[in-house]
Amino acid sequence: VHISPIILDIEEEIVYYTLCLTVYQLRTRVFLRAINKFSETMNQKFLENMNFEEQLWNNYFHLAVAFITQDSLQLEQFSHAKCIKILNKYGDMRRLIGFAIRDMWYRLGQNKIRFIPGMVGPILEMTLIPEAELRKATIPIFFDMILCEYKNTGEFKKFENEIILKLDHEVEGGRGDEQYLQLFESILIECSSTYPPIAKSVEMFVSLVKGLLEKLLDYRAVMNDESKNNRMSCTVNLLNFYKEINREEMYIRYLYKLRDLHLDCENYTEAAYTLLLHAWLLKWSDEQCTPQVMQTEFQSSQTHRHLKEHLYEMIIEYFDKGKMWEEAISLCKELAEQYEMEVFDYELLSQNLIQQAKFYDNIMKILRPKPDYFAVGYYGQGFPTFLRNKVFIFRGKEYERREDFQAQLMSHFPNAEKMNTTAPPEETLKNSPGQSGVLLDIQCFTVQPVLEEHVRFKNKAVPDQIINFYKSNHVQRFHYSRPVRKGSVDPENEFASMWIERTSYITAYKLPGILRWFEVLSMSQTTISPLENAIETMSLTNEKILAMINQYQSDENLPINPLSMLLNGIVDPAVMGGFAKYETAFFTDEYTRDHPEDQEKLNRLKDLIAWQIPFLGAGIKIHEKRVSDSLRPFHERMEDCFRHLKVKVEKQYGVRELPDFDDKRVGRPTSMLRSYRQMSIISLSSMNSDCGTPSKIVEESFELEVMSPKATSSVSDENVLQLSTLPEVKMRKCRKRATKRSSVVFVDEKGASELPDMKCLSRKYEFMSDTNLSEHLAVPPKTSVLKQMSFASRSMPTIPGLTLSVCYPTQEEANVTQRMSQASIRPNLELDRKTLKKKKMNQFFKTMYKSKQFEDGKNTGGEQHSDYVTEL
């Protein structure tokens, strides 16, 4: 018992490489004879149950494994000549001691269970020695361990957990190869075939170990690779594997390896998302942390709450550095709830709210460049398995061009060639071996992210600073459009035959995430006709004009050049040809006759052209205010071109007008177009039409019905608003008709025109999306509603909420008491409390006064007044 540890210590302390070959062999032979002598004595005296010495047997196994795994016996590390010389004179002593260990294990009998799982690691280390005969002789020990534990407990979970844990360390340390993987699988499957009760379980276990070993070998192959991208990919493959098999400790271990790689590359956003996976494993409770969820840098955090709080603080810092303030705010809100409702730490709450305010301010004031996205395909059998014949979507860095990204990508694979086409490769290219002069191929091109629909933004005036974030973040679908020619080609008008082949890519996860790239899981193709392409082009152009106008309205310090180039490129006939090309291609009798099904799309295109005029007009007004004296002639020419263009378009496609809207709320930048986007980004992402343009949604809305003054005489309820000079206005729910129409609909056009004395809402109030009543705002001046309304258009900016209608009531309706309950108004009102209270008091005293007049028999008409205002 005492001699074997001494020999083991001697084995570990001798520096064998300093010895000459003869002394080395002599020393090895001596130890081998000593180990064999110990094994004989143990079999004779310490094997029976009464005399069994567990510690002695444990020391023997560790001594034997230490001997067989010593570096001086690993012949593959020597030169070929030296290896041959040792084998001829002494043989491979690893095989001899390995066979002895196998025999000693099988002699243990019922005592084997005492060494499970303790001996799993040493036996695994021995089987990983790259000697084929030794592996074939010792791998069956694993099945014997499985069988032994199964007979004692009905399962072999201890063995499985231990071998997964030890395999990770051994392979990372340099042991294991493809041959071992194949032998491990074939030997265990063959052994289990003789024991049907556990054959299925063993097969599942082998599949598990095989998957782990493949990923570990990939990881080891790129550990020292210059490409940190490859190391990150392999790390993610491993942590996903450990997550699937519920190995929490190993999962967290690789999370922090991935975090460190991201910090080395200054990928702060990805580092934050990586740590967030650890935080999600924790609870907001005072439960003590288990060793599985702890990391060395957080040893001071003893409870789940403290650890999660520290993680959130670090993640928020990373998100701040990555300019992902929206994500940081969501975590701040979660922390604030804990500070306010759980731990009642108002000092921390105050700091948290100040931090949130800073992030909100950053969102609105700091420029965040949009990253480009690139589709990258690796084709050929010479690539690593985690890249081979797969397509990935990469998220570029700020201001990173495709050429620079591609050059860096190609530097990691110097033997690869760049593909000059974006079409999918042929199968022969995918199966090319990448050897004997056959080069590998990498395909790289830019793709466009597709904004996902956000319900909370739908049909709302959302500032561009907020929308722009979601255009490039939280995206999982991407498009690539490739022009193709079909049919006869008109050399003078390419639009008539330009079809678009659009490929959609869906990634495994949303970007950004724990990586800057994710694998494409599915691809699909659709074809867009020339007319649909024209509609989409016009829609995007209008959206671009609106976005730039909003930018210049909110920031007076922006340089004028980008706006000048955009407007001049559209209005100047020398550079513009879109309108004429579309007219020649689509607005002809021949096209209408041959494509009757496209009539609605033709109207849509005309509508988009017509709506571009008021947008251009708004932009030119801004340009006039900002232009310098030196550029005044340029502006005057552009203004002259716009006048001619406006006359032409309005004559052919009708007049479109935007309302004169001013946002008077304190602290908000004014923007006359914010609520009237011809095609909002949110609407664009949720469209379902074939041509890719927004479609109206039938919604519940309100109509304002104007009643005659006669109907007001019988109204005495305190909740009913009365007028002395204006007709009564009541609000009733209605449903928009399913047919497409302008957001502003007037029910009785003829009747309205016959009301010479009726006061109506001005255009400023026609286009509001909500209705509030106030006693402090004057009624708009008298004007005709019909004269103020714009031309009813299918492309009118969608303004949900209200539909205004003007109509005469029938005689029967005039005699019916009209009531508007306070409960029905309240959802649409935002009255000042003091104003509301004063109004109720006035109404109360007026009602009391009228009652007294009635009792005295006096016919005195009380004059009441109420103002009506519609606020967005």
Side-chain angles (χ1 to χ4, degrees), residues 22 58 61 67 78 123 290 339 388 407 425 442 473 498 790 805 855:
T22 304
N58 190 64
F61 283 123
F67 177 85
F78 297 117
I123 298 297
T290 59
Y339 296 150
R388 188 180 304 157
I442 295 179
N473 298 281
M498 181 183 291
S790 300
S805 63
E855 292 172 359

Side-chain angles (χ1 to χ4, degrees), residues 577-788:
F579 293 174
K581 299 292 185 181
Y582 293 154
E583 290 171 342
T584 306
F586 308 116
F587 299 160
T588 62
D589 295 337
E590 180 181 359
Y591 186 92
T592 304
R593 184 179 63 254
D594 295 341
H595 303 85
E597 71 282 359
D598 287 348
Q599 187 58 48
E600 185 177 350
K601 296 176 183 177
L602 289 171
N603 293 337
R604 171 67 175 161
L605 181 57
K606 293 176 182 178
D607 221 22
L608 288 167
I609 295 173
W611 267 111
Q612 197 173 83
I613 296 302
F615 300 155
L616 290 172
I620 288 176
K621 287 182 179 179
I622 295 176
H623 191 271
E624 183 181 13
K625 297 176 182 178
R626 304 278 187 91
V627 70
S628 61
D629 293 339
S630 60
L631 290 178
R632 182 62 59 180
F634 166 79
H635 174 79
E636 292 174 353
R637 168 174 167 74
M638 184 169 64
E639 213 169 27
D640 185 60
C641 292
F642 173 69
R643 279 194 296 268
H644 289 86
L645 178 66
K646 181 178 180 181
V647 171
K648 174 181 177 296
V649 172
E650 290 184 347
K651 180 179 179 180
Q652 294 181 350
Y653 310 118
V655 179
R656 308 292 189 272
E657 292 182 1
L658 285 174
D660 184 15
F661 172 69
D662 291 318
D663 192 344
K664 296 184 178 181
R665 282 171 284 188
V666 179
R668 290 283 296 276
T670 60
S671 175
M672 61 176 289
L673 297 176
R674 283 181 55 221
S675 295
Y676 313 106
R677 293 186 173 211
Q678 183 274 334
M679 182 191 62
S680 70
I681 302 173
I682 296 300
S683 298
L684 179 62
S685 67
S686 59
M687 59 194 174
N688 296 318
S689 62
D690 294 337
C691 60
T693 54
S695 58
K696 293 289 182 73
I697 299 175
V698 179
E699 298 182 10
E700 195 174 74
S701 63
F702 292 97
E703 287 188 0
L704 290 181
E705 183 178 354
V706 183
M707 308 299 294
S708 64
K710 184 178 180 181
T712 65
S713 60
S714 60
V715 178
S716 60
D717 189 273
E718 70 172 4
N719 292 327
V720 179
L721 304 177
Q722 300 178 343
L723 295 174
S724 60
T725 60
L726 284 177
E728 179 189 352
V729 179
K730 78 169 185 177
M731 186 157 50
R732 58 184 175 87
K733 272 193 173 183
C734 75
R735 282 276 181 182
K736 287 187 181 179
R737 292 183 176 87
T739 56
K740 293 186 177 181
R741 62 183 184 180
S742 169
S743 295
V744 180
V745 179
F746 298 85
V747 177
D748 193 346
E749 184 173 330
K750 181 179 179 181
S753 63
E754 295 173 354
L755 292 174
D757 298 326
M758 183 179 65
K759 291 188 177 182
C760 304
L761 300 177
S762 70
R763 189 198 301 117
K764 176 177 178 180
Y765 300 97
E766 290 170 17
F767 288 83
M768 301 306 179
S769 63
D770 199 355
T771 301
N772 289 343
L773 306 179
S774 172
E775 295 187 7
H776 303 287
L777 210 60
V779 178
K782 175 179 177 181
T783 181
S784 170
V785 177
L786 296 179
K787 291 181 180 179
Q788 296 175 44

Side-chain angles (χ1 to χ4, degrees), residues 79-285:
S79 64
H80 181 69
K82 194 171 186 178
C83 181
I84 294 297
K85 184 176 181 180
I86 294 174
L87 287 175
N88 291 337
K89 189 172 184 179
Y90 303 102
D92 191 346
M93 286 180 280
R94 296 176 300 177
R95 188 182 302 179
L96 298 177
I97 195 65
F99 291 167
I101 294 172
R102 177 198 59 186
D103 296 339
M104 293 290 284
W105 171 263
Y106 286 124
R107 289 194 180 100
L108 285 173
Q110 61 183 4
N111 293 314
K112 294 176 185 175
I113 193 65
R114 301 187 182 189
F115 300 93
I116 301 173
M119 281 303 300
V120 173
I123 298 297
L124 175 65
E125 188 177 358
M126 177 180 64
T127 61
L128 287 169
I129 293 174
E131 209 285 320
E133 294 302 321
L134 176 62
R135 287 176 171 179
K136 291 177 182 179
T138 54
I139 287 177
I141 297 177
F142 289 142
F143 180 75
D144 194 59
M145 289 180 169
I146 290 174
L147 194 60
C148 180
E149 185 180 354
Y150 181 81
K151 288 180 178 179
N152 280 269
T153 64
E155 59 181 10
F156 49 92
K157 285 295 182 184
K158 289 183 179 179
F159 170 80
E160 179 181 311
N161 292 337
E162 188 69 12
I163 200 168
I164 288 175
L165 178 63
K166 298 299 183 183
L167 191 63
D168 184 279
H169 292 283
E170 294 296 335
V171 176
E172 188 176 352
R175 299 180 177 89
D177 49 41
E178 290 287 341
Q179 183 198 48
Y180 181 82
L181 176 60
Q182 296 170 4
L183 283 175
F184 185 90
E185 180 181 16
S186 60
I187 290 174
L188 288 186
I189 294 296
E190 182 181 355
C191 292
S192 64
S193 62
T194 59
Y195 292 90
I198 62 171
K200 188 67 176 177
S201 299
V202 172
E203 184 178 345
M204 294 174 61
F205 164 74
V206 170
S207 176
L208 180 70
V209 173
K210 180 182 178 182
L212 174 59
L213 193 52
E214 288 174 345
K215 293 175 175 59
L216 286 171
L217 291 175
D218 287 339
Y219 177 76
R220 189 182 68 189
V222 300
M223 276 180 58
N224 299 319
D225 199 330
E226 293 183 1
S227 172
K228 290 187 178 179
N229 287 357
N230 291 343
R231 293 163 62 183
M232 292 178 188
S233 292
C234 292
T235 304
V236 170
N237 290 340
L238 276 171
L239 67 87
N240 284 337
F241 177 85
Y242 286 124
K243 182 180 180 181
E244 290 173 3
I245 65 175
N246 200 26
R247 299 302 191 277
E248 191 173 85
E249 183 178 1
M250 301 302 296
Y251 172 70
I252 295 174
R253 176 170 173 248
Y254 279 95
L255 278 179
Y256 281 84
K257 287 187 176 184
L258 180 61
R259 189 278 308 263
D260 294 340
L261 287 172
H262 281 310
L263 292 181
D264 291 342
C265 299
E266 297 184 353
N267 297 339
Y268 296 110
T269 297
E270 288 71 22
Y273 280 120
T274 302
L275 277 191
L276 199 56
L277 294 179
H278 184 197
W280 286 345
L281 298 176
L282 304 171
K283 298 175 288 187
W284 289 115
S285 70

Side-chain angles (χ1 to χ4, degrees), residues 534-553:
I535 291 173
E536 188 174 287
T537 302
M538 282 298 304
S539 298
L540 293 175
T541 302
N542 288 359
E543 177 64 26
K544 186 176 182 180
I545 297 172
L546 282 173
M548 186 164 289
I549 289 174
N550 283 337
Q551 291 177 11
Y552 279 87
Q553 284 182 326

